[in-house]
C-alpha cells in the first residue's frame, strides 16, 4: 500500500522513525496518529507511484516526549538525525553538509489532524557559507543557491528565534528599489548574494548570535522549533476554535528538498481536486513560477491560475490533471495538494482532505456517489456535520445604477455585509460587540486566525485562493475575496481606498463571494436552495436501513 518503512529511533519503544522512499513498505502499525496525516499521506502517494521526494519522519511520540521533558530533546537525538540522514543521502546520492554535492532538506510539521498553516516549516536546511558554493557548482545556478540561502536565514530567524520579519523585509525592499525592479523575484544572483550577506548581519542582531554554520545544528534547532510550534499561539487558538482536543502533538517530516525557485520552468503550487467553495468538479489551482511553496501559501504574493502554467508547462499540467483523478480514487475525497515543479519535473509534497464550504460538501458528496467514488452510506456519514436545511446560494443583485467598486478573486461563496475593520484585533473586538465586520488587509496570514474567526468576510489586496489563511477562512464559512488590485490601505489614517473610493474604518461594505465583487451601500441579496442535491440526499436517507428501522419503530408506537 505504501512506501514508508518503520524504523526504531531513540531508546523508547514508542518512538519511531519512518522512512519514505523507493522500496520501503508501510509498517502495519503505522497510523496518521503516529506519522501525522501529512507524512502518512505522502507514504500512500509514494506507494502508488506518485513522485514524492524521499523523507524520514519522527513520530508524534517525540513531540510528546519533548513536552514531558519540559522542552528538552532526548539523549542521542543528534545521532538519530545523523543516522536517518544517511538514508536520504543513499537515496539521493547527495551529502548533508557536503561542499560539492550538498543535500538540503525541509523540516515540516505533521499533526494527526489537519491544521493548515498553524505549525511551522523550515526550508533549505543544510545551506551555509560553504554548501552554498557547492550548490552553485552542482546546479550551475547561482541565483537558486543565493535565493535559497537568504530564505533560510530569514525563516530560521523567524521560526527558531521568533524574530519579526520587518528588518529582513525592509532590506529586501531596499535591494529591489536599488535595482529598479518590481519585486525580489527579479533580483539577479549578485543582488541576492549581497542580500544574503546583509541577512546574516540582521540575523546576528536579532538572534544575538551568528547564523549556525553546522547543518546538523540547523536541523536539530529546526526540528525543536517545529515541536514548539505545537503550543504556539495560533495553533492553540485554531484548536480552541475547532474544539480539537486530545490531539497528540506533531510529527516532524525531514524531506529531501526540491526547488521551485530554479528558474522559468520551475515553480510551486497548491491545488484542490474540485472547487472547495462551490464543489464544481474542476481543478482549482494557484501556481507561482520560480518560487518556493511558502510564497504560495503565505498569502503575501500575487499568484497565477491554471491558464499560466497550462500555457508554459503543458506536460506538467497534464500530469497534474491525471494526478487529480488518481488522488480522488486513492483517498476517496476532495484533496488539497501541494506540489513543486523543478526544471519541468513534478514532485508531490502533500495531500490532505480539502477544507470546503457546506455547499461544496453537499455537491461533492452527491457527485462522488454518482461517479462511483462513494456509496450513499459513506456520503451521508460525511455530511453528518452539515446543516443541510440551512445551505443556500447567495448573490448580490445590483440595484438600478449600482455598480461594484472593484473586483477581486473569489476564495469562498456567499455574501457578507459589515463594517470595515483594518486589523484582526479590531475585527475581534467589534465582533464581540455583536457587530458584523469585514476584515480588510493587505494580506492575511494564519497569525490572524482569531480575527478571521470573528469576521463575516475577508478582503485582501494580495494573495491567492489557496493561501493557508484563505483555506482557513473558507473552512469557517467566511466570504473571502483576495488579490484585489484596486484596494489600497492607509493604516495611519484608518482608511482604505477601493476602486478609487475613500472609505473610513467602520463604514459598511458588501462582498459577493461568488462574483468577486465589492459594493458599498445597501444591497439586495438573492438566495436559493440547491434543490437537486438536497433531493438526492433525502432519497438516500429514505432508503438507508437506519431510516427504515426508525420508520417501523414510529409506526409501532403509533
Amino acid at each position: 500500500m505504501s512506501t514508508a518503512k518503520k524504523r526504531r529511533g531513540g531508546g523508547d519503544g514508542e518512538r519511531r522513525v519512518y522512512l519514505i522512499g523507493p522500496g520501503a513498505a508501510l509498517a502495519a502499525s503505522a497510523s496518521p496518529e503516529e506519522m501525522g496525516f501529512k507524512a502518512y499521506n505522502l507514504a500512500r502517494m509514494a506507494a502508488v507511484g506518485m513522485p514524492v521526494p524521499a523523507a524520514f519522519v519522527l513520530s508524534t511520540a517525540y513531540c510528546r516526549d519533548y513536552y514531558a521533558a519540559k522542552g528538552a530533546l532526548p539523549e542521542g537525538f543528534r545521532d538519530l538525525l545523523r543516522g536517518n540522514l544517511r538514508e536520504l543521502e543513499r537515496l539521493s546520492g547527495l551529502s548533508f553538509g557536503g561542499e560539492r554535492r550538498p543535500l538540503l532538506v525541509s523540516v515540516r510539521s505533521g499533526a494527526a489532524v489537519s491544521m493548515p498553516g498553524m505549525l511551522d516549516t523550515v526550508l533549505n536546511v543544510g545551506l551555509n557559507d560553504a554548501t552554498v558554493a557547492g550548490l552553485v557548482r552542482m546546479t550551475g545556478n547561482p541565483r537558486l543557491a543565493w535565493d535559497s540561502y537568504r530564505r533560510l536565514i530569514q525563516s530560521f530567524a523567524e521560526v527558531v528565534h521568533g524574530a519579526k520579519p520587518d528588518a529582513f523585509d525592509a532590506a529586501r525592499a531596499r535591494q529591489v528599489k536599488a535595482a529598479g525592479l518590481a519585486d525580489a523575484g527579479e533580483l539577479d544572483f549578485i543582488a541576492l548574494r549581497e542580500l544574503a550577506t546583509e541577512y546574516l548581519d540582521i540575523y546576528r542582531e536579532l538572534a544575538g548570535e551568528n547564523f549556525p554554520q553546522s547543518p546538523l545544528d540547523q536541523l536539530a534547532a529546526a526540528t525543536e522549533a517545529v515541536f514548539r510550534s505545537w503550543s504556539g499561539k495560533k495553533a492553540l487558538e485554531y484548536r480552541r476554535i475547532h474544539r480539537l482536543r486530545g490531539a497528540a502533538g506533531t510529527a516532524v517530516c525531514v524531506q529531501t528538498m526540491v526547488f521551485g525557485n530554479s528558474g522559468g520552468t520551475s515553480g510551486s503550487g497548491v491545488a484542490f481536486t474540485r472547487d472547495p467553495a462551490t464543489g464544481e468538479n474542476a481543478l482549482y489551482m494557484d501556481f507561482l513560477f520560480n518560487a518556493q511553496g511558502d510564497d504560495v501559501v503565505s498569502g503575501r504574493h500575487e499568484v497565477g491560475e491554471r491558464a499560466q502554467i497550462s500555457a508554459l508547462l503543458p506536460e506538467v499540467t497534464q500530469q497534474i490533471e491525471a494526478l487529480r483523478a488518481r488522488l480522488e480514487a486513492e483517498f476517496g475525497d476532495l484533496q488539497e495538494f501541494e506540489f513543486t515543479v523543478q526544471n519541468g519535473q513534478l514532485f508531490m509534497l502533500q495531500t490532505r482532505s480539502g477544507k470546503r464550504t457546506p455547499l461544496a460538501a453537499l455537491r461533492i458528496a452527491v457527485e462522488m456517489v454518482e461517479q462511483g467514488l462513494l456509496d450513499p452510506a459513506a456520503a451521508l456519514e460525511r455530511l453528518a456535520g452539515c446543516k443541510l436545511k440551512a445551505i443556500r446560494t447567495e448573490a448580490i443583485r445590483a440595484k438600478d445604477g449600482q455598480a461594484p467598486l472593484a473586483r477581486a478573486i473569489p476564495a469562498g461563496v456567499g455574501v457578507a455585509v459589515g463594517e470595515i475593520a483594518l486589523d484582526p484585533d479590531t475585527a475581534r473586538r467589534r465582533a464581540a460587540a455583536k457587530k458584523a465586520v469585514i476584515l480588510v488587509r493587505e494580506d492575511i496570514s494564519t497569525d490572524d486566525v482569531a480575527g478571521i474567526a470573528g469576521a463575516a468576510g475577508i478582503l485582501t489586496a494580495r494573495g491567492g485562493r489557496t493561501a493557508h489563511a484563505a483555506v482557513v477562512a473558507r473552512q469557517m464559512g467566511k466570504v473571502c475575496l483576495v488579490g484585489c488590485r484596486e484596494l489600497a490601505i492607509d493604516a495611519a489614517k484608518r482608511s482604505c481606498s477601493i476602486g478609487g473610493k475613500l472609505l473610513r474604518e467602520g463604514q459598511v461594505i458588501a462582498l459577493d463571494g461568488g462574483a468577486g465583487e465589492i459594493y458599498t451601500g445597501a444591497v439586495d441579496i438573492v438566495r436559493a436552495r440547491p434543490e437537486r442535491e438536497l433531493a438526492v440526499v433525502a432519497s438516500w436517507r429514505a432508503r438507508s436501513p437506519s431510516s427504515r428501522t426508525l420508520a417501523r419503530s414510529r409506526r409501532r408506537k403509533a
Side-chain angles (χ1 to χ4, degrees):
M1 165 185 154
S2 184
T3 58
K5 179 175 68 177
K6 184 175 82 171
R7 296 164 51 84
R8 282 290 174 88
D12 187 331
E14 292 186 354
R15 299 176 189 154
R16 292 181 176 86
V17 181
Y18 297 85
L19 178 67
I20 299 175
L26 184 64
S29 62
S31 67
E33 288 71 29
E34 274 211 345
M35 292 182 70
F37 262 112
K38 190 178 296 183
Y40 190 79
N41 288 349
L42 277 174
R44 290 181 63 180
M45 284 195 291
V48 294
M50 297 184 194
V52 174
F56 68 84
V57 184
L58 306 177
S59 71
T60 55
Y62 282 97
C63 185
R64 294 193 293 275
D65 288 350
Y66 176 78
Y67 282 100
K70 298 181 179 179
L73 294 171
E75 185 178 351
F77 191 74
R78 286 170 179 262
D79 290 336
L80 174 70
L81 293 177
R82 192 179 289 110
N84 284 281
L85 282 166
R86 292 193 194 102
E87 296 281 5
L88 299 190
E89 290 174 331
R90 177 181 64 81
L91 291 168
S92 66
L94 306 175
S95 175
F96 191 67
E99 296 185 11
R100 298 200 65 82
R101 291 179 53 79
L103 168 67
L104 305 182
V105 297
S106 60
V107 183
R108 301 176 184 271
S109 60
V113 292
S114 179
M115 298 172 57
M118 299 299 153
L119 304 177
D120 286 332
T121 292
V122 184
L123 306 181
N124 308 305
V125 171
L127 274 176
N128 58 24
D129 293 348
T131 58
V132 70
L135 187 59
V136 173
R137 282 193 293 267
M138 183 175 74
T139 63
N141 189 340
R143 191 190 184 285
L144 162 66
W146 289 105
D147 184 47
S148 300
Y149 194 21
R150 65 97 181 171
R151 288 170 181 269
L152 171 62
I153 297 163
Q154 177 172 353
S155 67
F156 205 87
E158 292 182 30
V159 173
V160 176
H161 294 285
K164 298 293 185 183
D166 304 28
F168 294 105
D169 293 347
R172 185 174 66 249
R174 285 194 301 271
Q175 191 70 251
V176 169
K177 184 177 180 180
L181 300 172
D183 58 55
E186 299 178 24
L187 292 173
D188 63 19
F189 84 88
I190 296 173
L192 288 168
R193 184 174 60 193
E194 292 173 358
L195 192 58
T197 301
E198 186 174 359
Y199 274 19
L200 288 170
D201 293 335
I202 295 171
Y203 181 96
R204 188 181 306 110
E205 293 173 11
L206 295 177
E209 62 188 38
N210 289 327
F211 179 76
Q213 292 295 308
S214 163
L216 193 61
D217 286 349
Q218 293 176 15
L219 179 56
T223 301
E224 186 174 0
V226 172
F227 287 152
R228 286 200 306 270
S229 71
W230 176 253
S231 58
K233 181 179 178 181
K234 61 183 178 181
L236 291 173
E237 182 69 12
Y238 184 89
R239 293 201 295 275
R240 183 194 66 79
I241 291 169
H242 294 283
R243 299 177 182 178
L244 298 176
R245 300 183 180 91
T250 180
V252 173
C253 182
V254 178
Q255 189 168 35
T256 304
M257 275 296 301
V258 287
F259 299 97
N261 55 332
S262 292
T265 58
S266 302
S268 294
V270 178
F272 288 75
T273 54
R274 302 178 191 228
D275 188 322
T278 68
E280 181 187 1
N281 187 6
L283 184 67
Y284 183 97
M285 178 171 66
D286 287 341
F287 186 79
L288 195 56
F289 279 97
N290 201 21
Q292 292 197 328
D294 279 355
D295 298 327
V296 181
V297 300
S298 68
R300 298 174 184 171
H301 301 272
E302 184 176 329
V303 297
E305 298 183 32
R306 176 178 173 174
Q308 290 177 302
I309 185 174
S310 297
L312 295 174
L313 297 173
E315 292 183 2
V316 171
T317 307
Q318 291 172 8
Q319 285 181 274
I320 292 170
E321 277 286 3
L323 284 168
R324 179 171 86 94
R326 292 181 66 193
L327 284 169
E328 289 199 347
E330 174 70 15
F331 292 93
D333 195 7
L334 163 73
Q335 293 295 293
E336 175 195 358
F337 59 99
E338 297 181 18
F339 62 94
T340 285
V341 180
Q342 177 177 296
N343 298 325
Q345 185 174 358
L346 177 67
F347 295 93
M348 299 291 284
L349 300 180
Q350 178 177 342
T351 193
R352 60 186 166 205
S353 291
K355 308 298 183 186
R356 69 208 77 178
T357 65
L359 175 66
L362 173 62
R363 179 172 175 179
I364 289 168
V366 169
E367 292 187 359
M368 281 194 162
V369 170
E370 291 171 346
Q371 291 173 260
L373 294 173
L374 279 180
D375 60 47
L380 285 171
E381 185 176 343
R382 192 168 289 174
L383 292 171
C386 288
K387 297 178 180 178
L388 297 182
K389 292 182 180 179
I391 295 176
R392 299 287 189 277
T393 60
E394 294 183 332
I396 290 175
R397 181 171 58 198
K399 299 179 180 180
D400 290 342
Q402 188 177 35
L405 296 177
R407 289 178 172 82
I409 302 168
V413 292
V415 173
V417 180
E419 60 182 47
I420 295 170
L422 295 176
D423 62 72
D425 288 339
T426 300
R428 186 171 62 249
R429 188 172 62 252
R430 297 299 291 159
K434 308 301 183 185
K435 298 292 185 179
V437 296
I438 306 295
L439 179 59
V440 179
R441 302 279 281 162
E442 291 286 347
D443 55 59
I444 54 170
S445 76
T446 49
D447 292 335
D448 300 334
V449 63
I452 294 170
I458 319 292
L459 173 65
T460 73
R462 293 193 295 268
R465 306 169 300 171
T466 61
H468 280 148
V471 170
V472 170
R474 189 162 49 239
Q475 176 195 13
M476 292 181 179
K478 310 298 180 179
V479 178
C480 186
L481 302 183
V482 299
C484 180
R485 296 182 179 182
E486 298 174 85
L487 168 63
I489 297 172
D490 189 331
K493 294 182 178 179
R494 307 305 291 178
S495 66
C496 64
S497 171
I498 304 176
K501 183 176 179 62
L502 180 65
L503 297 165
R504 302 287 180 185
E505 188 170 43
Q507 286 187 255
V508 174
I509 60 173
L511 309 181
D512 188 324
E517 296 174 340
I518 305 115
Y519 291 84
T520 186
V523 296
D524 290 335
I525 302 174
V526 180
R527 296 180 174 88
R529 284 164 51 89
E531 299 290 358
R532 187 189 83 84
E533 289 81 3
L534 290 171
V536 171
V537 173
S539 72
W540 295 342
R541 285 177 170 161
R543 295 195 304 268
S544 70
S546 58
S547 296
R548 290 196 296 270
T549 300
L550 180 61
R552 285 195 297 270
S553 174
R554 286 175 176 169
R555 285 196 296 270
R556 284 196 298 269
K557 288 179 180 178

